Structures are given as structure tokens and as C-alpha cells.
Amino acid sequence: QLVAQKDRNKVTRQTQIIIIGSLFVLLAIGVYAYIQSVPKAAKQPSQLPSLKQDVPPSASSPKDLNNGPIIYAERITGTVSIWSLNPETKEKKKIFTDADEELKIKSTGGLTEDGKWMLISLGPQNEDVATTHSLISTDGKAVRKETAKDVASTQPPQVSPDGQTFVWVGFSNVEADYGYTLTVQRFDGSNKRIALRSATELLFPTFSRDSGSIAVVQVLPEDLAEITLVRLEDFSKEVALKTEKERIHGIGYLGENLILSTGPKDDAEISKAELRLLDLKTKSTKQLSKNSQLETTPTGSPDKTSIAYIARSIEEGRSVKDTVGEVKVFRLAGEESEALSQGAFIVGWST
């Protein structure tokens, strides 16, 4: 009986093992069937994005800009008009005039990067000082976006490409504060900061394309001058170029580099100048043009291939202000265009 009982227990254990094994087999078959029923796309592991296609480009990546019209000013018998000019077709359109304005245009101060707004400085007709500085639309509707008053600048104020601020040059003859100041501020007068102080004259303040720095000419004793770059983030300063016995008639940006209009210091009549390109990385210059005309208000094209400027042939006994200029375009490929129109100064080159 004892032996028979042991045999029965052995059979029972074997039966249990068989049952449990069968259950595992059935479970495996069920799992396999489920996996086969799931669509292949769902069971594939997620893939990492492609660095070339799926990651959006950085917001700071340079944009490819196309050339739009040149905006320039023309002065005829005391009236200043602002024109938009297509340099390819020579088609032009008047977008603003001070003929019916109580305050008259004294200077212009560049364009915003989108080309929709220009800075115009206005003042009483019989005075040289501008008392009002306004952002005016370039669409011909003369809409005024921003206006700053009580800003007495020795140089034409310049608007930043992003349209947020403008820069101007102040002068004080008070002994304690004597000298010139390069000031950046918003149009409502807020966020006013002095970016540079100088005991000597500051000329032609110009914003970089990214609105992050300002280039300015500092006149020094003994026929010297230097172009200083001021970073607005921390007001750090860097001398980009020193000149000797040269007169700088204007500067402007062409992409990340500077365009200079320079002439001999001993040119008593201020009748000659040439265009040069200053590489701000290597601090080297390249002569672009050389002729007997005075070339002023150089302005780079958005696509970095050309320079718009005003060319004047100064006659003996006449001043720059009394001489009618011509709007011209210099192409870096070496081709200089014919005169496109009469003009007094370039406002900017829009996209």
C-alpha cells in the first residue's frame, strides 16, 4: 500500500507539471498572436530627429536678403523730398516731402531693416538745428510711428535696424562735462545710455546690421582720426582703423564690414574722395574706387554686392551743400553704374 501511495503521488506531480507547462505554452502562443496583430509602424522604436532636416535653423542664422529700392533725398530750391528708386529700372517714386510741412528736413538717419521706416530729423525753416526726430513710413503715406524731441545732436541721428533705438551725438561746453557724447536711447526717452565720451569730435555714428554695435569716427589732434566700434551689450570699445592725413567723409556697413569714403586731408576745397572697404576681422582696407569726385553717404546693399552713394563734382568757389549730387551704385564686381538720379544724400537701401 505504501508503494502504491508513492506511485500515485508521483503521477499527480507529473500531471501538475504537464498542466503548468501547457499553460505557459498557451500564454506564449497568445502573446505571439497579439504581437503579430499590431501594425509594424507602431512596434518600431522611435527614431532620433535628423540634424539636417528636423532641427529648425537657429534664429541667429544669417538671412539671405534681396535688394529692394534705394531711398534717397533730393534738395531743390529749399525743399527736400525723399524718393524710392529702383536701381535696375531707374523707376522712382516720391514718398515724402517737407514742402507743406511746418518743420523742414534737416537730415535723415537711415532705415529699419525691413525698409518700412526711415528716421527724419526736422527743424524750423531758417535754422540749421533739428528739433524733432521721427520714424516716418516709406510707403508714401507719411505715417509717423515714433517721435523724439529735445534731442540736440551735432550729427544726424541714426535709427537702429531693429527700429528699437536711435543714436545721436551731444556736445557740452560746460567745463566739468566738456566734450562729445555718443548716446543711445529709445524714442520715448527711456533706456538712455552714454556709449562713448570724447574730448574731440565724433562723426558719422552708424549701427551694425544686427543693431548690436555702433561704428563712429573720432577726430584726433595732429590730423589723426580713428574708427571706433562700441558694443552695446557691455560698451566695450575697439579701434578698427587709424588714419593719418586723411579726411573721412562718411562710413556705412556692407554686411559685417565697413565702407569708408576718404579723401586727402590737404584738400582745402573738399572735392575728392574714394570708396574703401574695411574688413573688420583683419583690419585691412581695400580701395574700391578712385576719381576726382566727392563720394559721400556710402550705403551697402542688403545682398552685400553693391554700394549706393552720392557723387559730386565740386566747382571752385562752391560748397558741398550748394552742389547737386548724383545717385550712383558701385558694384563689387568692378562695374560702376551711370548716374541714376540727382540726389543730396542716401537714406538707406531697403530689402
Side-chain angles (χ1 to χ4, degrees):
Q1 291 180 350
L2 182 60
V3 172
Q5 182 66 34
K6 289 182 177 180
D7 290 339
R8 284 195 297 273
N9 291 342
K10 183 178 180 180
V11 171
T12 302
R13 286 196 297 271
Q14 290 176 345
T15 303
Q16 290 175 343
I17 291 172
I18 292 172
I19 293 173
I20 293 172
S22 299
L23 290 175
F24 274 114
V25 171
L26 291 174
L27 180 61
I29 293 173
V31 170
Y32 177 78
Y34 173 78
I35 292 175
Q36 291 299 314
S37 67
V38 177
K40 292 182 179 180
K43 65 178 182 178
Q44 289 178 346
S46 60
Q47 295 181 348
L48 294 176
S50 166
L51 291 179
K52 292 184 178 179
Q53 298 178 358
D54 300 331
V55 177
S58 169
S60 61
S61 299
K63 296 182 291 184
D64 293 328
L65 300 177
N66 296 319
N67 293 340
I70 297 170
I71 310 297
Y72 72 96
E74 181 181 40
R75 181 186 288 110
I76 299 178
T77 61
T79 297
V80 177
S81 300
I82 310 295
W83 295 82
S84 171
L85 170 67
N86 185 319
E88 304 300 330
T89 65
K90 298 185 182 180
E91 179 183 358
K92 64 180 189 177
K93 173 186 176 182
K94 185 184 291 186
I95 58 177
F96 186 75
T97 179
D98 65 4
D100 299 322
E101 297 284 330
E102 180 180 353
L103 298 177
K104 303 301 179 182
I105 297 175
K106 303 302 178 182
S107 65
T108 61
L111 298 174
T112 56
E113 186 179 31
D114 57 13
K116 294 181 179 180
W117 304 94
M118 56 185 174
L119 181 58
I120 304 293
S121 297
L122 306 105
Q125 183 168 6
N126 297 322
E127 298 181 15
D128 292 331
V129 178
T131 57
T132 301
H133 312 279
S134 298
L135 275 184
I136 298 178
S137 63
T138 59
D139 58 3
K141 298 179 181 180
V143 177
R144 304 196 183 197
K145 183 179 181 181
E146 301 278 5
T147 296
K149 297 183 178 180
D150 301 323
V151 173
S153 182
T154 62
Q155 291 288 295
Q158 298 289 312
V159 65
S160 59
D162 62 13
Q164 298 299 310
T165 60
F166 71 99
V167 60
W168 56 282
V169 177
F171 173 74
S172 172
N173 59 5
V174 177
E175 185 175 356
D177 298 318
Y178 182 86
Y180 296 82
T181 53
L182 187 70
T183 302
V184 182
Q185 67 175 73
R186 295 186 181 275
F187 283 86
D188 62 3
S190 64
N191 203 23
K192 187 174 181 180
R193 299 162 291 164
I194 295 179
L196 180 66
R197 296 181 184 273
S198 173
T200 55
E201 194 172 9
L202 299 174
L203 304 172
F204 314 121
T206 306
F207 275 99
S208 60
R209 287 285 186 176
D210 63 2
S211 303
S213 61
I214 297 172
V216 63
V217 176
Q218 186 174 6
V219 179
L220 301 175
E222 300 180 1
D223 292 337
L224 298 175
E226 62 184 29
I227 296 176
T228 300
L229 306 178
V230 182
R231 287 182 55 84
L232 298 182
E233 182 180 11
D234 55 7
F235 293 140
S236 60
K237 302 166 185 62
E238 177 186 6
V239 176
L241 181 71
K242 285 188 176 183
T243 66
E244 183 177 0
K245 297 182 179 179
E246 280 187 311
R247 188 191 303 270
I248 299 178
H249 298 284
I251 61 175
Y253 270 91
L254 179 67
E256 296 76 32
N257 298 317
L258 275 177
I259 320 157
L260 315 178
S261 173
T262 63
K265 188 74 174 182
D266 57 2
D267 182 11
E269 301 296 328
I270 315 180
S271 60
K272 292 179 289 186
E274 63 187 24
L275 296 178
R276 294 162 62 191
L277 188 63
L278 171 60
D279 188 315
L280 292 179
K281 290 184 178 180
T282 64
K283 305 297 187 293
S284 60
T285 62
K286 176 183 178 182
Q287 182 175 319
L288 300 178
S289 69
K290 186 176 183 180
N291 55 44
S292 59
Q293 291 183 311
L294 177 64
E295 299 168 351
T296 61
T297 59
T299 303
S301 63
D303 71 354
K304 309 176 189 178
T305 65
S306 307
I307 301 168
Y309 64 97
I310 299 295
R312 287 184 173 88
S313 296
I314 309 296
E315 300 176 5
E316 186 175 354
R318 302 193 67 182
S319 68
V320 174
K321 188 175 181 179
D322 295 332
T323 303
V324 176
E326 297 175 328
V327 179
K328 286 190 173 184
V329 172
F330 180 89
R331 306 186 190 283
L332 296 186
E335 175 190 357
E336 184 175 326
S337 74
E338 74 278 12
L340 302 179
S341 176
Q342 291 187 352
F345 40 87
I346 304 294
V347 179
W349 198 326
S350 63
T351 55

